[in-house]
Structures are given as C-alpha cells and as structure tokens.
Amino acid sequence: MIKVRKAVLNDIDRVYELVNQYAGEELLLPRTRDSLIINIQSIFVAEEAGEVLGVASLAILGQDLAEIRSLAVDKKAQGRGIGKILVEKIIEETKKLGIPKLISLTYQVVFFEKCGFTVINKEEMPQKVWTDCIHCPKFPACDEIAMAISL
Ligand SMILES: CC(C)(COP(=O)(O)OP(=O)(O)OC[C@H]1O[C@@H](n2cnc3c(N)ncnc32)[C@H](O)[C@@H]1OP(=O)(O)O)[C@@H](O)C(=O)NCCC(=O)NCCS
C-alpha cells in the first residue's frame, strides 16, 4: 500500500538520489542536499513497505501561485499511480494554504493532463519567470511546457 507523508531528514539521501537521477537525464532540475534540507517542510514522499518510491515538493511563488517541483517516481515503480497520488497530495496542500493556482514546468504533458492540468503560456505566470526562471540555467531558452490547474 502506498502512503504519502511529509519528508523527514532521514529521507534526504533517497530524495536526493531520486531527483538527481532524473536531473542527469535533464527531466528535472538538480537539487543540492542543502536545498532539500532547507525546504524539507515542503517535500512529500510516497512510501511502500518502508521504501521511498517517489517524491514531490511544493514551492510557494506568491499569494496566488504555487509550483509543483522535483516530482520523481523510481523507475521500477512507475505506471502504478504513484506520480498521480503525489500530485494529488500537492494539490491538497496548495488548497489548504488557500492558494488558487498550481503550476508545473514539465515535459510530461500527458501525465499532467491526466492530473487535471492544462497547458498555459509562460507569460501567464510572471512571478515564476521573474523570481525563479531568470536564475535557471535554461533561461531564456527554456523548452519546458508550462501547465496549470485552478483550485
Ligand atoms: C512523470 C512521472 C512522475 C509519472 O509517475 P508515474 O507514477 O509513473 O505516473 P502514474 O502511474 O501516476 O500515471 C498517471 C497517469 O498518467 C499516465 N502517464 C504517466 N507517465 C506518462 C508519460 N510519460 N506519458 C504519457 N502518459 C503518462 C499513466 O499512464 C496514467 O494514466 P491513467 O490514469 O490513464 O492510467 C514519472 O514518470 C517520473 O518520475 N518521470 C521522471 C521525472 C519527471 O519527468 N518528472 C516530472 C517533472 S515535472
């Protein structure tokens, strides 16, 4: 049975491994151990029989906007609904905070459509572009697709 819970410090090595494996494939942005530790309160893990199989984090970009980041499911556990469960958890947390919109910058358009997101123009999220994107190695030639869900 899959259980989603907040990450604790003991999870950091595993989360680091999951995220940076996909960063190596340029599917996710890399995260340092320090960035994971500092942001631990916003990281959720999916666990089965004591093994962490997936991770997702929630970044608040402003009072009206949050972003799902570092979504990763272990290759051996993909296709079992774990990614969707993690996105649902991030949606639930975003709603609890009273934030009306959640975005994702992704290459996984079909997956996010199945989670209720639709494709938007990057220009629709100026907070993201001006607070984060300008510091990103992909800026300004980012080929990730912007997607959003209204909550
Ligand atoms: C994208 C990712 C998180 C999906 O996780 P997952 O646990 O395999 O996905 P799920 O099993 O929850 O899939 C939910 C639905 O999306 C579909 N789906 C998942 N990945 C898909 C893909 N790459 N292309 C098309 N459909 C996909 C599934 O078939 C399923 O459809 P269904 O509800 O009709 O059965 C996972 O493949 C992953 O970690 N990828 C590498 C890192 C990455 O790209 N992260 C996203 C960055 S924003």
Side-chain angles (χ1 to χ4, degrees), residues 58-69 90 94-95 97-105 117 120-133 146-151:
L58 173 62
I60 297 164
L61 303 181
Q63 68 172 18
D64 294 332
L65 195 63
E67 180 185 4
I68 182 166
R69 284 189 187 163
I90 297 293
T94 308
K95 275 187 186 165
L97 291 166
I99 297 175
K101 195 169 186 179
L102 180 66
I103 60 162
S104 170
L105 282 165
F117 288 63
I120 58 164
N121 285 324
K122 288 195 185 108
E123 295 72 47
E124 287 179 48
M125 38 178 218
Q127 289 127 300
K128 168 70 188 166
V129 173
W130 297 116
T131 53
D132 281 342
C133 294
M147 300 188 74
I149 183 169
S150 296
L151 305 176

Side-chain angles (χ1 to χ4, degrees), residues 28-112:
L28 290 178
L29 289 174
R31 299 281 297 258
T32 62
R33 274 198 172 73
D34 278 352
S35 127
L36 294 171
I37 291 167
I38 290 164
N39 293 292
I40 193 155
Q41 291 182 89
S42 65
I43 299 174
F44 294 83
V45 293
E47 182 182 69
E48 184 180 54
E51 185 184 9
V52 170
L53 294 175
V55 58
S57 74
L58 173 62
I60 297 164
L61 303 181
Q63 68 172 18
D64 294 332
L65 195 63
E67 180 185 4
I68 182 166
R69 284 189 187 163
S70 303
L71 172 66
V73 174
D74 192 322
K75 286 189 180 170
K76 70 173 188 264
Q78 287 182 2
R80 293 178 46 201
I82 298 174
K84 199 167 181 183
I85 291 170
L86 282 162
V87 172
E88 284 165 359
K89 181 68 178 176
I90 297 293
I91 288 174
E92 181 191 319
E93 292 297 312
T94 308
K95 275 187 186 165
K96 267 195 220 163
L97 291 166
I99 297 175
K101 195 169 186 179
L102 180 66
I103 60 162
S104 170
L105 282 165
T106 186
Y107 300 111
Q108 308 292 347
V109 172
V110 176
F111 167 76
F112 275 100

